[in-house]
Amino acid sequence: VGVRLAAEGATVAACDLDGAAARETVRLLGGPGSDEGAPRGAHAAFQADVSEAGAVRRLLDQVQACFSRPPSVVVSCAGITRDEFLLHMSEDDWDRVIAVNLKGIFLVTQAAAQALVSSGCPGSIINISSIVGKVGNVGQTNYAASKAGVVGLTQTAARELGRHGIRCNSVLPGFIKTPMTQKVPQKVLDKVTGMIPMGHMGDPEDVADVVAFLASEDSGYITGASVEVTGGLFM
Ligand SMILES: CCCCCCCCCCCCC[C@@H](O)CC(=O)SCCNC(=O)CCNC(=O)[C@H](O)C(C)(C)COP(=O)(O)OP(=O)(O)OC[C@H]1O[C@@H](n2cnc3c(N)ncnc32)[C@H](O)[C@@H]1OP(=O)(O)O
Ligand SMILES: NC(=O)c1ccc[n+]([C@@H]2O[C@H](COP(=O)([O-])OP(=O)(O)OC[C@H]3O[C@@H](n4cnc5c(N)ncnc54)[C@H](O)[C@@H]3O)[C@@H](O)[C@H]2O)c1
């Protein structure tokens, strides 16, 4: 997503729980700002745990200090899985997935919206849900609930923030080739790939293309939408 947005001319603030991963993203962007506190206007890397309110507040403060304005586009990608059948799922596995996938998006969306509204700037907030939030999935009561919550949160934010010129949309990817899906048992991967009308898993670039569209003025009259990027899976 960062690479695609930079290719569209964006100056990117990449943030991750894993600061080294964020700095690697910035290196991919070819920016000098591969360390926190990068020169003004360069791409910059930040580290934060999005499930922590204080960390998110500090992140938005750091980004505004670095770029002299709130972010005009905010893409919440952070997410985890702790898959287990409902009958055996631990409270901790439930709590952690909800904390990162849903509360994390609440905290980032709220902090970004507060910064944009107080500065009178328009913006586009894009939250990454999942097709699992629409149809559920065996072994993912926690994850499915978190992703369904992302859609409801984003639709409500769209209703409240439209008057401020801030659009809020959800993207619902299907099976995409990333480290997250590498943990899925092969027999499940084989099963689901056969169910995808386009016959193959998607690539991160397929999601990034839709994010770039929702970030741009080409989607200027779209808010509250849920855009599925699934190869037709569960259409
Ligand atoms: C008829 C097949 C339909 C397959 C539909 C799959 C839909 C998946 C769509 C997801 C797209 C978006 C995903 C995206 O948001 C990113 C992710 O979330 S990636 C992670 C997705 N996670 C899963 O799909 C869960 C995978 N399953 C597991 O991790 C394990 O099975 C676990 C739940 C931890 C249980 O492990 P355990 O070792 O106790 O059991 P088994 O792995 O041996 O499984 C027992 C039987 O259950 C079947 N199974 C497991 N998961 C799924 C599943 N997601 N869908 C359907 N069936 C599943 C597994 O095949 C075994 O069946 P059998 O006994 O007949 O071999
Ligand atoms: N891969 C798929 O098939 C798929 C499908 C649908 C939705 N998604 C969603 O897409 C998003 C990106 O996932 P991915 O597939 O790239 O997985 P990934 O595991 O490769 O990336 C997730 C990133 O989130 C970061 N992260 C985890 N916890 C964090 C926290 N508390 N604070 C800040 N960062 C944190 C991780 O360090 C990692 O870099 C996730 O929200 C995921 O749920 C993925």
Side-chain angles (χ1 to χ4, degrees):
V1 166
V3 168
R4 177 61 199 273
L5 295 181
E8 298 292 332
T11 303
V12 174
C15 176
D16 199 290
L17 179 68
D18 177 353
R23 289 189 293 276
E24 177 58 24
T25 295
V26 170
R27 273 192 287 277
L28 281 175
L29 305 181
S34 55
D35 298 308
E36 291 192 32
R40 284 188 185 284
H43 304 306
F46 300 87
Q47 188 280 337
D49 178 348
V50 296
S51 70
E52 293 291 323
V56 171
R57 276 195 301 275
R58 287 190 296 276
L59 170 64
L60 266 293
D61 290 345
Q62 290 166 359
V63 168
Q64 292 182 89
C66 188
F67 295 96
S68 306
R69 59 150 296 155
S72 54
V73 174
V74 177
V75 186
S76 280
C77 285
I80 61 170
T81 58
R82 295 281 187 280
D83 295 344
E84 185 49 275
F85 292 119
L86 172 63
L87 294 179
H88 309 303
M89 184 173 288
S90 71
E91 185 179 352
D92 182 60
D93 282 344
W94 171 271
D95 287 346
R96 191 61 192 152
V97 168
I98 297 296
V100 175
N101 296 8
L102 182 55
K103 183 181 170 185
I105 286 192
F106 160 70
L107 292 171
V108 172
T109 300
Q110 182 186 54
Q114 287 169 338
L116 286 165
V117 169
S118 59
S119 61
C121 296
S124 176
I125 295 173
I126 301 152
N127 292 328
I128 307 298
S129 174
S130 166
I131 197 66
V132 166
K134 172 184 167 186
V135 300
N137 184 30
V138 170
Q140 293 201 297
T141 42
N142 49 1
Y143 184 88
S146 75
K147 294 302 187 176
V150 167
V151 172
L153 181 160
T154 306
Q155 288 171 323
T156 302
R159 292 179 185 277
E160 294 183 14
L161 299 174
R163 73 192 69 222
H164 299 289
I166 301 168
R167 299 183 295 113
C168 305
N169 293 289
S170 298
V171 176
L172 283 65
F175 250 140
I176 309 297
K177 292 178 213 145
T178 74
M180 181 174 277
T181 43
Q182 283 165 10
K183 296 185 286 186
V184 177
Q186 190 57 46
K187 57 187 167 183
V188 177
L189 278 178
D190 295 341
K191 282 180 186 175
V192 71
T193 305
M195 295 166 60
I196 303 170
M198 291 186 73
H200 60 85
M201 292 177 72
D203 295 307
E205 291 78 5
D206 295 317
V207 179
D209 289 344
V210 173
V211 169
F213 167 68
L214 292 172
S216 77
E217 278 314 301
D218 290 346
S219 59
Y221 197 55
I222 298 177
T223 195
S226 297
V227 183
E228 299 178 14
V229 188
T230 65
L233 180 67
F234 302 131
M235 64 179 78

